[in-house]
Each structure stands twice: as C-alpha cells, then as structure tokens.
C-alpha cells in the first residue's frame, strides 16, 4: 500500500522554460475547451474552494499570453475576467459567517462554497486566494485587459484587501500559510496603487506580519515558526508558508522575510529525512503539498545551501491543482505563476554544517524532536517512527512499563565526524516512576549506509528493554509505501511485537490503516480539522521493535545496542576505561567522556582498524 501524498522529490520536476511552456500550453487547451458562453473556467466538479478558481485559470492564461502571444487568449481572458467580476464577487454578508467585525460592509469577498450560508468557514482564505489571483493577473495583464476592466479588477482587489483586514478578524483559522498569503496579497496590491495609498497598504501589510504573525510564532526544535492551525509546523502547509515567505521577499526586499524564511528552511531541512520523507502536523500528518512548495523550497534551499528539493510532494499536483479526473483547477494558480517567474536554481547538495536536531550522512538520517528523541529514523530506505507503549511515545529504555526518554533538565548534544563516520551523542537526565534521576546517554553513529544506536543508562530493575522504533514505510524506488518490517539487528535480543488488543488506540503496522488515518480517528475534531499530532498522542500501544540489553557491559549500567539498515549480527561491547565509557564495535570505537570543565559531554570517535 503506497502513501498517497508522498511520491517523488520535488526537485525531480523539470523546471526549464520549455517545460513550463508545455505546462501552460496544456492549461490553455483545457481552458479553451472548458470556457462556457458565460466565461466560466471552473472545473465542472468544483463545489468548494471555488470562489477564486476561474480567476486563477484566467491568471494562467494571461501568463501564457505574455510568454507566447497566442491570439486566442485575449478574448478568453476578457470573457473569463468579466465572469468573475460579474458572478463571483459577493458584497452581501454570508449568512452564518462568524468572523466579521463589521456588519453589512458592502466590501467584496470570495466564497468557499457558493450557496449562502452553506459552509462559510472558508470565506477568509478563499478571499485571500482571490486577492492573490487578482494581483497576479494585474501583474501580467498589460496590453491584454481593457483599461476599464483592469480598473474594475483593481477596485475589487482593493476591496478584498479591506474586507480581509478591516471587516473581519485577521487569520481566523490560525493558519500561518493563509495569513502570510494575505500579507503577500497586500504587498503585491500596493504596487498597483497610487504612491500614497500604496505606501499605506504596504505599511499595513508589514505591520500585520510583525504584529499578527511574527509576534505569535511557536517554538519547536530550536526554531520560531509561523503557527499553523494552532501548531508549530504542518508538513503540508509549512512548505506553502515557505513559498509565501519567498514571494514576500521577492516583491518587498524586506530582510525580515528572508530571515524568517531561512529559519523555517533550516528547520525543515533538519526534520526532513535524507529520502525526503516527513511526518507530522496539526492539520495533516502525511498529506504533502506539491507545486505550491517548489518556490519556497527552491528559493530558500539556495539561500541556506541545502537540498530542500528532496522533499517528497504529491505528484498528482505536480504543476497545478487538479480534480480527481486530472483536469486543471485554478486554485493555487498564482503559485505556479510565481514559480515560473522565479529562476532560482535548485541547490542539490546537502548542507555541510551540523544541525542539533538532525544526523545525516549518505543514505542514513535521523530527525530528532524537541526533546532530542528520534522523530524519524531512516536507514536502507526504511523509515521508523517512535513506537508507543502504555501511552508513552518515543525511543528509549523501558523499565516496568515506563519509557525513559522525556528529559527532566537540560539535554546536551555533541557532534563528531571522524574517519568517514558521523556521530551524535545525546545526554539527558530522566526521571522514572521511582523519582530517581537517571542519566541516559544515546550514541548515534553512521558510516552513511547503516546506523548504530547505543543507549547506556544506570542499572535498571526487572527486565528492561530498548523501545527501538515502529517500522512504518519504505522507498520502493519511486514512491513511499507502508511496511511492517525493517532491516534491524541488535547485540542483544531483538523482537518485533504487535499490540494484542485492538481498537482505534492500538496501531498494528500489519494493518492497512495509515498513521494519518489512525491519528485522525483519535483526534478531538473531524478529519481535516482535528489535530492529528494530538490524536496520535492518544495512542496506547503500537507495533514496536524491542531490544534487550547487551551482555558485555559494566555491572552498573544497562547498555542497549541496535543497528539499523542491516539484519547482519553486530557485536557491541561497553566498558569503563580511564577515558570514560568506551563502546566498541567491529566498525568503530567511541569514548563517551570525560565531561569537560563545564560538565559538557565529550565524544571521541575512531574507525576500527581495517574497517
């Protein structure tokens, strides 16, 4: 079973002028065949996200005309623009819309669903999208749209901006991508207004960004991020926000958009596996955007010097929004226009620097969460998520049903590269049910093809084991698909267990259910509105790799050792030496300690002779 939305890396899409001309040529033929006598360019099956879609196709036709001067297009643009201005601009309040601050303003807005009161919750983002379609069309309409029609479109765009910023609460869904999109719309609109008014709109857009978006950023993994539907980051909408930040910087030149975009890009780079898999979010945990992400990933990948294009997108939306039959939909059309206009090349090499929340070398990567516990482990093309035991989630030692991975104090990290090896040592104090403070040391070492994980903790009672991950997905060379198996070995006993109980709060990787489906089933609100990250947190137990302690370890420690990416046995020894705790394998020797004068952990690493 393939994961529907995580397909090919986005940098695999051809981005030559000829490739884009071919995309636009296809849009032109579909649009001319679809154009109704009234000028409607909406897909026949479109019923929601509809208020901006015909205008979006019109904007794409205007760009195609600008690039190729197809003589069929001026009449189509004129008719379709007239349709939008006549049929899709609403001025009477939508019944049931709760986010107004002014009644009967008479200002124009776009509807998410056309029928009055049918589903008004989406009117705010639909109006942002309509504003973006309008200003993108204004940017490309010189010599194409009659002056009177252009003036009417500009007046409507001005009204959209006023409705969004004066007649309603700003960003009512707490969706960073929508809010930054609104700011971009204002910045683009300002360029088409008389200087004095344009400067007022520009200043208002910048003030909204500073006071309503930037001031409310959410911290995660050492970064401050624009909040998305109440959470820090969503792997569908986060890259869309990155594209909005790229466009904001392109058109305004304001340093704040570059700074915040680079921070978001570095965060994404750290959480993204080498193979481009990502998982988690407050709106969608597996759904991925596609062409909407390209601008931001390409623009900021070049700025931070990393291969953000490895991000796997939904290739069904490879170039533009489509309906299930593959027919073009105008939603997000402006993002395709901006993507074509920006000529930044893909940066295709990984960043050479180290990142606190990432370990990456060759085909191996570990993305760490805010507590420096692995959020995703990738080795041999297989992705492992944190497992769950007794409502506790993560990777770490388990004793008497208690998972020792949540820090009670400062988490310290040491990165080392030596002899072709890349390593990260994570040390954290943890507290168990007995309230005893313990020192957990987790060492991650990779040669670029397999990953050794060694975890040491003070001696534990009972029969402790290492919760070593939930095998979840793998690359099949083209797409990501579900799996219930991972190539893993251990120097101790190793078993793959599955929940004995059934129900929504038990996740068995052998079942067809995806992580996102399971997370939504446990969320507090309906699918699409509930927070899947919070829903997943309600999971009681999951399939899990469980590794027993190694035999060759000091008497005062339990040491666990797992190797990801191979099922071949791998011997591991641990012993106290004058230099500290020494871990020896067939491939390397690592010395953990002694701590320096500031009690910071030290790590010495060298490859084994002949390895």
């Amino acid at each position: 079973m393939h994961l529907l939305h995580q397909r090919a890396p986005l940098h695999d899409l051809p981005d030559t002028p000829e490739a884009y001309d071919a995309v636009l040529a296809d849009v032109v033929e579909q649009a001319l065949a679809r154009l109704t006598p009234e000028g409607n360019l909406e897909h026949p099956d479109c019923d929601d996200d509809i208020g901006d879609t015909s205008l979006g196709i019109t904007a794409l036709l205007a760009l195609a005309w600008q690039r190729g001067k197809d003589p069929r297009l001026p009449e189509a643009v004129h008719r379709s623009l007239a349709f939008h201005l006549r049929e899709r601009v609403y001025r009477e309040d939508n019944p049931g819309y709760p986010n107004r601050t002014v009644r009967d303003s008479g200002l124009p807005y776009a509807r998410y669903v056309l029928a009055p009161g049918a589903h008004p919750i989406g009117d705010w983002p639909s109006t942002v999208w309509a504003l973006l379609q309008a200003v993108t069309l204004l940017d490309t309409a010189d010599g194409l749209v009659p002056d009177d029609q252009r003036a009417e479109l500009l007046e409507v765009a001005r009204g959209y901006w006023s409705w969004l910023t004066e007649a309603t609460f700003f960003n009512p869904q707490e969706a960073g991508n929508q809010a930054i999109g609104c700011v971009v719309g204002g910045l683009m609109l300002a360029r088409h207004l008389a200087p004095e008014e344009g400067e007022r709109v520009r200043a208002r857009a910048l003030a909204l960004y500073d006071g309503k978006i930037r001031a409310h950023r959410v911290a995660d993994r050492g970064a401050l991020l624009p909040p998305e539907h109440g959470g820090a980051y969503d792997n569908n909408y986060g890259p869309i926000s990155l594209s909005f930040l790229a466009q904001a910087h392109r058109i305004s030149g304001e340093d704040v958009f570059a700074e915040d975009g680079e921070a978001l890009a570095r965060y994404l780079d750290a959480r993204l596996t080498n193979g481009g898999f990502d998982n988690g979010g407050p709106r969608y945990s597996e759904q991925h955007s596609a062409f909407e992400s390209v601008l931001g990933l390409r623009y900021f990948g070049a700025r931070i010097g990393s291969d953000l294009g490895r991000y796997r997108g939904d290739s069904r939306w490879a170039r533009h929004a489509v309906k299930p039959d593959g027919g073009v939909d105008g939603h997000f059309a402006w993002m395709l226009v901006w993507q074509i206009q920006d000529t930044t090349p893909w940066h295709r090499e990984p960043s050479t620097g180290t990142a606190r929340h990432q370990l990456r070398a060759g085909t191996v990567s570990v993305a760490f969460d805010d507590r420096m516990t692995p959020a995703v482990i990738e080795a041999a093309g297989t992705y492992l998520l944190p497992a769950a035991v007794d409502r506790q989630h993560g990777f770490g030692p388990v004793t008497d049903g208690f998972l020792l991975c949540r820090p009670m104090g400062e988490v310290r990290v040491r990165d080392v590269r030596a002899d072709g090896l890349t390593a990260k040592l994570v040390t954290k104090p943890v507290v168990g049910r007995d309230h005893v403070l313990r020192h957990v040391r987790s060492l991650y070492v990779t040669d670029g093809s397999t990953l050794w994980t060694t975890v040491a903790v003070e001696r534990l009672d009972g029969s402790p084991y290492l919760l070593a991950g939930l095998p979840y997905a793998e690359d099949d060379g083209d797409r990501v698909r579900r799996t219930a198996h991972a190539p893993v070995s251990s120097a101790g006993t190793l078993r793959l267990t599955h929940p004995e109980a059934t129900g929504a709060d038990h996740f068995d990787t052998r079942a067809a259910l995806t992580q996102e489906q399971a997370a939504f089933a446990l969320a507090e609100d309906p699918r699409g509105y509930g927070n899947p990250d919070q829903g997943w947190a309600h999971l009681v137990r999951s399939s899990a790799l469980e590794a027993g302690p190694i035999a060759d370890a000091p008497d005062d420690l339990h040491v666990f050792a797992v190797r990801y990416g191979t099922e071949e046995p791998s011997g591991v020894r641990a012993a106290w030496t004058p230099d500290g705790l020494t871990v020896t394998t067939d491939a390397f020797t690592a010395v953990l300690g002694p701590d320096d004068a500031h009690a910071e952990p030290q790590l010495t690493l060298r490859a084994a002779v002949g390895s």
Side-chain angles (χ1 to χ4, degrees):
M1 175 181 175
H2 286 97
L3 300 183
L4 289 177
H5 304 284
Q6 302 205 32
R7 301 189 178 207
L10 291 182
H11 63 203
D12 288 352
L13 293 171
D15 59 354
T16 62
E18 295 76 16
Y20 286 130
D21 284 338
V23 171
L24 290 175
D26 177 57
V27 171
V28 166
E29 297 307 321
Q30 287 196 50
L32 293 178
R34 179 185 301 168
L35 185 65
T36 69
E38 297 78 20
N40 189 350
L41 286 171
E42 293 159 3
H43 190 283
D45 294 337
C46 192
D47 55 11
D48 57 19
D49 273 331
I50 193 172
D52 68 289
T53 60
S54 183
L55 188 60
I57 300 290
T58 305
L60 290 174
L61 296 183
L63 179 64
W65 180 84
Q66 188 184 68
R67 291 168 69 92
K69 297 298 187 291
D70 186 329
R72 300 174 298 171
L73 295 182
E75 175 63 18
V77 169
H78 177 72
R79 286 171 54 196
S80 60
L81 177 53
F83 169 81
H84 178 82
L85 295 172
R86 184 181 67 250
E87 303 289 344
R88 294 294 181 259
V89 177
Y90 292 84
R91 295 182 182 272
E92 68 281 3
D93 290 351
N94 198 351
Y97 187 65
N99 296 313
R100 293 189 302 270
T101 58
V102 177
R103 288 182 58 190
D104 303 319
S105 68
L107 291 169
Y109 67 96
R111 286 187 178 173
Y112 175 70
V113 173
L114 299 182
H119 193 15
I121 192 172
D123 286 358
W124 201 87
S126 288
T127 304
V128 173
W129 267 222
L131 171 62
L132 293 168
Q133 311 288 20
V135 293
T136 299
L137 179 56
L138 288 168
D139 279 355
T140 55
D142 284 340
L144 177 62
V145 175
D147 290 346
D148 59 340
Q149 199 178 37
R150 182 189 180 103
E152 184 179 359
L153 177 63
L154 178 58
E155 185 62 28
V156 167
R158 183 191 281 116
Y160 285 155
W161 170 254
S162 297
W163 187 86
L164 290 163
T165 59
E166 299 170 16
T168 67
F169 290 103
F170 184 82
N171 190 22
Q173 294 185 20
E174 297 183 350
N177 76 97
Q178 298 172 11
I180 304 172
C182 183
V183 168
V184 171
L187 293 171
M188 295 181 69
L189 172 65
R191 304 186 303 174
H192 293 283
L193 301 173
E196 185 175 343
E197 183 184 5
E199 185 52 40
R200 286 198 303 270
V201 171
R202 176 186 170 92
R204 175 68 169 148
L206 295 175
L208 284 169
Y209 181 75
D210 185 60
K212 294 292 188 178
I213 302 172
R214 202 164 197 263
H216 297 278
R217 288 176 297 172
V218 179
D220 186 42
R221 308 188 194 190
L224 289 174
L225 308 169
E228 189 58 60
H229 289 282
Y233 181 83
D234 183 274
N235 68 16
N236 176 53
Y237 290 111
I240 297 175
S241 285
L242 193 64
S243 288
F244 278 132
L245 288 169
Q247 179 69 358
H249 186 247
R250 289 180 67 232
I251 62 175
S252 74
E254 293 288 336
D255 290 341
V256 66
F257 298 118
E259 293 167 4
D260 291 355
E262 288 174 12
L264 177 54
R266 291 191 180 96
Y267 169 88
L268 173 57
D269 189 31
R271 68 174 289 144
L272 195 61
T273 60
N274 179 77
F277 176 82
D278 189 21
N279 174 271
R283 182 70 186 272
Y284 294 109
S285 55
E286 286 183 358
Q287 180 170 316
H288 273 44
S289 53
F291 75 97
E292 317 101 288
S293 304
V294 167
L295 174 64
L297 295 171
R298 199 171 61 190
Y299 190 83
F300 284 109
R303 289 187 68 91
I304 70 170
S306 190
D307 56 338
L308 296 183
R310 69 187 189 275
Y311 178 94
R312 288 180 175 272
D314 187 340
S315 57
R316 296 170 299 178
W317 277 36
R319 297 300 193 181
H320 46 65
V322 297
K323 290 299 181 184
D325 64 359
V328 63
D329 181 5
H331 199 53
F332 278 103
W334 31 267
M335 197 74 89
L336 176 58
V337 173
W338 305 343
Q339 179 194 140
I340 293 172
Q341 291 171 336
D342 180 67
T343 57
T344 303
W346 284 112
H347 184 97
R348 295 182 176 272
E349 298 299 322
S351 171
T352 57
T354 59
R356 177 180 173 89
H357 294 90
Q358 180 194 67
L359 175 70
R360 183 182 176 200
T363 59
V364 170
S365 56
V366 184
F368 295 88
D369 66 15
D370 212 34
R371 305 176 303 183
M372 286 306 298
T373 297
V376 184
I377 288 178
E378 173 194 19
T382 301
Y383 304 107
L384 295 97
L385 304 180
V389 55
D390 295 339
R391 298 186 187 276
Q392 304 160 94
H393 298 220
F395 291 76
V398 176
T399 178
D400 190 26
F402 194 86
L403 173 60
L404 299 172
C405 75
R406 291 173 299 282
M408 182 65 74
E410 191 68 21
V411 179
R412 310 198 198 205
V413 178
R414 177 70 66 179
D415 288 281
V416 171
R417 291 173 177 169
D419 300 338
L421 301 169
T422 303
K424 188 182 293 286
L425 173 63
V426 177
T427 65
K428 63 176 75 171
V430 301
V431 174
R433 283 202 177 96
D434 56 7
H435 298 272
V436 174
L437 190 68
R438 293 181 173 85
H439 187 201
V440 176
R441 283 161 285 192
S442 302
L443 174 66
Y444 306 87
V445 181
T446 181
D447 59 2
S449 59
T450 62
L451 171 72
W452 290 264
T453 299
T454 305
V455 178
V457 64
E458 287 85 354
R459 200 77 179 178
L460 301 169
D461 294 333
S463 302
Y465 64 89
L466 181 73
L467 194 66
L470 179 160
Y472 180 67
E474 63 183 0
D475 285 344
D476 66 3
D478 176 51
R479 292 171 59 184
V480 177
R481 66 181 179 184
R482 285 287 315 282
T483 187
H485 171 265
V488 178
S489 61
S490 174
T493 59
L494 181 68
R495 57 186 180 268
L496 175 61
T497 66
H498 301 286
E500 295 181 1
T502 59
D505 55 0
H506 288 71
F507 186 79
D508 191 326
T509 56
R510 297 170 299 181
L513 200 68
T514 67
Q515 185 273 344
E516 182 176 85
Q517 291 168 330
F520 272 123
L522 293 169
E524 296 172 350
D525 296 307
R527 179 181 173 87
Y529 296 99
N531 184 330
D533 276 357
Q534 289 183 353
W536 190 248
H538 297 152
L539 192 71
V540 172
R541 187 174 292 271
S542 73
S543 299
L545 286 164
E546 300 175 354
I550 66 174
D552 197 351
D555 292 339
D556 60 338
L557 295 178
H558 270 124
V559 178
F560 309 89
V562 175
R563 188 178 181 188
Y564 300 90
T566 180
E567 296 180 0
E568 295 181 2
S570 179
V572 178
R573 302 179 301 282
W576 288 112
T577 68
D579 294 327
L581 180 63
T582 300
V583 176
T584 305
T585 74
D586 296 339
F588 63 85
T589 297
V591 180
L592 286 59
D595 295 348
D596 66 13
H598 300 286
E600 289 291 332
Q602 301 297 299
L603 173 62
T604 304
L605 181 69
R606 63 178 182 273
V609 176
S611 66

